[in-house]
Amino acid sequence: MVSEPTEDKVQVWLVERGYNNRDLIILKYATSSGERVFQKEVASQALDTVTAARDVAPDNLASVDEPETQERYATEVERMKEKHEPDDPV
C-alpha cells in the first residue's frame, strides 16, 4: 500500500516497464517533473503486484539527463495520475 510521501520519501509513478536478456522485468517510476527516476529489476517469478505509484527514498532516484525523456516521463506521470490511484495495481 502506498502512503502519503514524507520528508524522507518521494512519490514516483510507473512510466515504463520492459524486459532484459536476463529474464528480468525492469520497472521505471518517475517524479512528476520527469527529472528523476527510480528503476527496479525483478525476476518475473518474484514479481509482486505492480502499483501505479510508490514512495522511495530520494537517494534511490537517478537523474534523467535527456530533455525528451524527461518530457515523456512527465507526460506519462500525468496520464497515470488521471487514471489511477497510487496503490492501484497496473
Side-chain angles (χ1 to χ4, degrees):
M1 184 161 138
V2 176
S3 58
E4 289 296 314
T6 62
E7 289 179 20
D8 58 340
K9 299 284 183 177
V10 175
Q11 188 173 61
V12 290
W13 291 79
L14 184 67
V15 294
E16 189 175 300
R17 83 178 101 196
Y19 302 89
N20 69 14
N21 60 359
R22 296 180 297 159
D23 289 330
L24 294 177
I25 297 172
I26 302 167
L27 303 171
K28 292 185 180 180
Y29 289 82
T31 57
S32 295
S33 67
E35 295 176 356
R36 311 246 319 162
V37 67
F38 169 76
Q39 180 172 310
K40 181 176 181 178
E41 294 182 359
V42 182
S44 59
Q45 302 85 358
L47 187 64
D48 290 331
T49 301
V50 176
T51 57
R54 63 185 303 154
D55 297 330
V56 299
D59 291 348
N60 292 333
L61 295 172
S63 294
V64 177
D65 298 327
E66 298 176 10
E68 299 83 19
T69 303
Q70 288 177 5
E71 185 176 326
R72 182 169 54 90
Y73 284 175
T75 300
E76 184 63 15
V77 167
E78 285 306 310
R79 188 182 77 76
M80 290 294 283
K81 284 182 173 182
E82 288 174 4
K83 293 185 174 189
H84 300 282
E85 291 298 318
D87 56 355
D88 284 353
V90 292

